[in-house]
Structures are given as structure tokens and as C-alpha cells.
Amino acid sequence: MSHHRPWHKSSYSGGSGAECVEVAEGDTVFVRDTQNRELGHIEYSPAEWTSFLHDLKAGPLQ
């Protein structure tokens, strides 16, 4: 499955490269594991992604 939108490393990924998450934003937001791209991606609505990022900024997730 090919999607023609730019992927970028999430600013929430660890600096060591071991915890890299890539994001491609558009009408839906795609999220994938950099080290396991062949496994595909998860899709979120922009509102869901924004809510998730808000929760991350608020503190540790449980």
C-alpha cells in the first residue's frame, strides 16, 4: 500500500533512534514504527491525533 505524502520523524521520538515513530499528516494522520515500516501504519483522524498529542504534553500516559 503506497501513500504519497511526506513522512517525518515525530518530535516525540527518542533521540537514540531506537524509539522512532514517523508521522504523515493530511486528511488522516498515519503513524508507523520507523524500524518496522513493512508492518504498515495506524490511521487517526486529525482530531484524534491532536487529542493524543495534547495528552502527551499533559504528562505520562497510563
Side-chain angles (χ1 to χ4, degrees):
M1 177 181 286
S2 174
H3 298 283
H4 302 286
R5 62 172 80 174
W7 289 90
H8 62 89
K9 182 178 172 184
S10 171
S11 61
Y12 291 95
S13 291
S16 68
E19 301 173 1
C20 294
V21 173
E22 294 177 323
V23 178
E25 297 161 307
D27 292 341
T28 55
V29 179
F30 300 154
V31 181
R32 69 183 179 189
D33 179 348
T34 302
Q35 295 183 9
N36 295 290
R37 292 178 179 139
E38 70 282 357
L39 296 177
H41 62 270
I42 300 170
E43 296 183 24
Y44 296 96
S45 72
E48 290 170 326
W49 185 244
T50 299
S51 178
F52 176 69
L53 294 179
H54 178 268
D55 290 346
L56 280 178
K57 291 175 186 176
L61 298 177
Q62 296 181 4

